[in-house]
């Protein structure tokens, strides 16, 4: 990946680090959780996304709706394409942090290989990505204010890169320094990256994480993928229900999960994005069409002969309907307490949904990049001995059975038919 020169040579100087306000606590949103005390259940909130008193670079989307998206082609590699303003901002800021030593290791030096077999799963060895060295939460990092736990941003302000928000102009606008607007997405570097450009996409101004995957938020995230405009850039979302994921067990301390320097509580719902230089195995898997609105509005497909059952939402001319259908489907899965992950691919035109099974025998879920065929190993022995059979079994263990997947397929098609009448006039 190459970072092209920005038109303004002084851009990074103008995009100064987030200014510290008098109050060092910058909370991040709100998540409810239950705590049993003296035989009663007390509902508290863990604050995840409210930022006050800082000035950071702000990227504003154009006012054009996703319903008016231009027609796109299929997945292809475009190495010489013009770099977008948003991608220039993202990579310049990310590499600036890398040169300043914010990241705990150089992820570009991690060893990679293709696991032998017809599926061509990808494996990365990263022995340095060990969360055990992270300190326990202390009074300087988390404090209690009423019924909220507040994250102390003073120590970690350097991890905030910029934010994106809706705009009112006909073209995108980049403001070198501005206060964080309401209803926006904070882009934060991950100090323990999995791949190049690894960032978190954190909501600001959304009422709670129970609404984290509503259509408005998902549309903004999809627009990030569209306006980065690089098919190597992927966005992942993991919705792991309470107690469902030992994938994060090595990061759990009591009820806290710590990713990089950000504290989460209980179950983990997070958006992350990074660059992968080659197509992921799931992106080249054959599929069969389940539902098609025609005219490029929306097509829903089911993957054929893939270890974990998955759906693909594709749209070439009206990405908004794809976003709306996925958002309502995710809401239904959350209502049923079904863990899932999804991958936003191909500059927002393709979204893979991976619903997962949770039973007494299968009490874990896998991450979005594992579902996509990309596996991370922390030990040389596990990396060297990784086999396609073992990876297929790992994914198959959490895959829905045929009956459960049929219910999800019917749900998606029903939602798509209903929304097509609204968006496409069918």
């Amino acid at each position: 990946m190459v970072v092209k020169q920005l038109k303004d040579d002084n851009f990074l100087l103008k995009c100064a680090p987030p200014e510290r306000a008098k109050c060092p606590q910058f909370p991040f949103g709100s998540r409810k959780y239950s705590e049993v005390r003296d035989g009663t259940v007390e509902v508290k909130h863990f604050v995840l996304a409210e930022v006050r008193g800082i000035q950071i670079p702000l990227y504003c989307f154009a006012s054009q709706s996703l319903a008016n998206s231009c027609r796109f082609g299929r997945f292809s590699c475009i190495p010489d394409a013009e770099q977008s303003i948003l991608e220039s901002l993202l990579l310049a800021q990310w590499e600036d942090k890398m040169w300043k030593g914010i990241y705990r290791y150089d992820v570009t030096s991690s060893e990679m290989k293709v696991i032998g077999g017809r599926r061509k799963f990808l494996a990365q060895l990263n022995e340095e990505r060990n969360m055990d060295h992270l300190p326990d939460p202390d009074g300087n990092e988390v404090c209690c204010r009423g019924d909220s736990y507040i994250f102390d941003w003073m120590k970690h302000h350097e991890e905030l890169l910029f934010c994106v928000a809706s705009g009112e102009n006909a073209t995108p606008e980049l403001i070198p320094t501005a206060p964080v607007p309401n209803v926006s997405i904070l882009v934060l570097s991950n100090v323990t990256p999995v791949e190049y450009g690894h960032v978190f996409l954190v909501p600001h101004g959304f009422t709670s994480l129970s609404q984290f995957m509503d259509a408005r938020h998902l549309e903004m995230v999809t627009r990030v993928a569209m306006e980065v405009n690089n098919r190597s850039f992927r966005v992942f979302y993991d919705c792991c229900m309470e107690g469902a994921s030992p994938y994060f067990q090595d990061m759990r301390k009591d009820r806290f999960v710590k990713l990089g320097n950000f504290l989460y509580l209980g179950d983990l719902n997070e958006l992350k994005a990074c660059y992968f230089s080659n197509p992921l195995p799931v992106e080249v898997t054959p599929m069969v069409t389940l539902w098609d609105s025609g005219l490029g509005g929306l097509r829903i497909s089911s993957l054929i002969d893939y270890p974990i059952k998955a759906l693909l939402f594709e749209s070439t001319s009206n990405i908004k309907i794809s976003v709306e259908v996925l958002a309502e489907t995710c809401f239904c899965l959350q209502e049923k307490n079904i863990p899932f992950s999804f991958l936003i691919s191909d500059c927002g035109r393709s979204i893979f949904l991976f619903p997962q099974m949770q039973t007494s025998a299968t009490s874990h879920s896998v991450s979005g990049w594992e579902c996509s065929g990309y596996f991370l190993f922390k030990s040389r022995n596990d990396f060297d001995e990784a086999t396609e059979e073992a990876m297929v079994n790992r994914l198959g263990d959490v895959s829905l059975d045929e009956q459960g997947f049929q219910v999800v397929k019917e749900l998606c098609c029903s939602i798509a038919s209903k929304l097509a009448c609204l968006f496409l006039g069918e």
Side-chain angles (χ1 to χ4, degrees):
M1 188 63 58
V2 177
V3 182
K4 297 185 180 179
Q5 182 72 31
L6 289 170
K7 293 182 180 180
D8 186 349
D9 292 334
N10 297 317
F11 178 78
L12 284 180
L13 295 178
K14 295 179 180 178
C15 297
E19 296 179 4
R20 302 184 186 185
K22 293 181 179 179
C23 177
Q25 287 82 22
F26 301 101
F28 288 94
S30 176
R31 170 178 293 171
K32 293 182 179 180
Y33 72 96
S34 298
E35 180 178 285
V36 178
R37 180 176 296 179
D38 297 329
T40 62
V41 177
E42 180 181 355
V43 177
K44 290 193 174 184
H45 297 265
F46 178 67
V47 177
L48 259 181
E50 179 188 347
V51 179
R52 298 188 295 268
I54 59 174
Q55 299 278 329
I56 57 173
L58 171 62
Y59 180 87
C60 296
F61 298 124
S63 58
Q64 179 187 13
S65 169
L66 289 185
N68 299 319
S69 305
C70 60
R71 185 169 293 277
F72 296 106
R74 290 288 299 162
F75 188 99
S76 61
C77 183
I78 313 177
D80 299 323
E82 183 72 20
Q83 193 172 57
S84 70
I85 296 175
L86 182 56
E87 182 175 46
S88 296
L89 172 63
L90 170 63
L91 295 182
Q93 294 285 75
W94 196 88
E95 288 212 341
D96 179 64
K97 303 301 183 185
M98 180 176 68
W99 290 114
K100 289 179 178 177
I102 298 299
Y103 309 120
R104 301 187 187 279
Y105 48 80
D106 179 11
V107 71
T108 61
S109 65
S110 297
E111 185 176 345
M112 296 286 303
K113 74 173 183 179
V114 177
I115 297 176
R118 64 184 179 88
R119 300 183 188 277
K120 308 300 181 185
F121 287 141
L122 303 173
Q124 178 196 132
L125 173 62
N126 191 332
E127 295 175 295
E128 296 182 88
R129 195 171 194 268
N130 188 338
M131 309 303 289
D132 293 340
H133 66 273
L134 293 173
D136 291 330
D138 56 40
N140 292 325
E141 289 187 336
V142 180
C143 63
C144 185
R145 179 181 298 170
D147 65 350
S148 298
Y149 286 90
I150 311 297
F151 179 72
D152 184 353
W153 187 260
M154 181 66 78
K155 293 183 177 180
H156 312 297
H157 63 92
E158 70 276 3
E159 295 169 24
L160 178 55
L161 302 181
F162 60 94
C163 79
V164 295
S166 299
E168 299 179 353
N169 297 330
T171 58
E173 180 182 13
L174 178 58
I175 305 173
T177 179
V180 177
N182 195 28
V183 187
S184 58
I185 295 176
L186 303 175
V187 180
L188 306 112
S189 57
N190 184 351
V191 298
T192 55
V194 167
E195 265 293 357
Y196 181 82
H198 191 168
V199 294
F200 290 120
L201 306 176
V202 180
H204 162 60
F206 295 83
T207 56
S208 72
L209 285 190
S210 61
Q211 300 171 350
F212 192 33
M213 256 315 114
D214 64 8
R216 180 177 57 169
H217 182 212
L218 182 56
E219 178 174 337
M220 291 185 68
V221 171
T222 304
R223 291 197 69 160
V224 170
M226 289 179 61
E227 300 206 19
V228 166
N229 196 32
N230 187 325
R231 288 180 171 87
S232 295
F233 184 77
R234 275 73 162 206
V235 179
F236 299 88
Y237 178 70
D238 294 317
C239 180
C240 302
M241 304 303 172
E242 183 83 21
S245 182
Y247 174 78
F248 300 101
Q249 274 184 357
D250 60 338
M251 293 179 279
R252 290 182 183 272
K253 296 186 181 295
D254 296 322
R255 291 177 58 83
F256 286 100
V257 176
K258 188 162 186 174
L259 296 176
N261 285 316
F262 299 98
L263 291 170
Y264 294 81
L265 201 63
D267 60 305
L268 183 67
N269 299 310
E270 60 148 346
L271 274 159
K272 58 217 171 202
C274 53
Y275 287 84
F276 294 88
S277 57
N278 297 309
L280 296 171
V282 73
E283 294 171 328
V284 294
T285 298
M287 62 199 69
V288 58
T289 299
L290 301 176
W291 188 91
D292 193 341
S293 67
L295 303 177
L298 173 64
R299 179 171 61 197
I300 302 176
S301 304
S302 174
L303 272 61
I304 299 175
D305 190 29
Y306 194 71
I308 183 170
K309 292 180 171 57
L311 295 174
L312 171 61
F313 301 79
E314 293 178 287
S315 182
T316 57
S317 63
N318 189 336
I319 294 180
K320 187 172 181 62
I321 184 175
S322 179
V323 167
E324 293 282 346
V325 172
L326 178 63
E328 187 162 340
T329 301
C330 291
F331 174 78
C332 293
L333 293 177
Q334 286 177 297
E335 286 285 289
K336 299 293 185 182
N337 204 35
I338 298 174
F340 63 89
S341 297
F342 65 67
L343 158 68
I344 300 178
S345 173
D346 200 12
C347 302
R349 298 181 284 274
S350 300
I351 306 178
F352 295 84
L353 175 65
F354 308 97
Q356 301 181 33
M357 179 172 57
Q358 180 182 352
T359 67
S360 56
T362 307
S363 59
H364 69 277
S365 56
V366 296
S367 68
W369 47 59
E370 286 182 304
C371 292
S372 304
Y374 188 95
F375 296 88
L376 183 68
F377 295 89
K378 295 182 181 180
S379 76
R380 164 63 65 179
N381 183 64
D382 291 342
F383 177 78
D384 291 339
E385 295 185 359
T387 64
E388 181 178 280
E389 181 182 5
M391 300 304 102
V392 167
N393 290 337
R394 175 165 175 76
L395 295 178
D397 284 344
V398 300
S399 178
L400 294 180
D401 57 22
E402 287 293 343
Q403 182 178 2
F405 190 51
Q406 183 62 33
V407 172
V408 174
K409 289 190 291 185
E410 292 175 357
L411 171 67
C412 290
C413 293
S414 174
I415 293 173
S417 297
K418 178 185 67 175
L419 293 179
C421 295
L422 298 176
F423 287 93
L424 304 176
E426 297 182 0

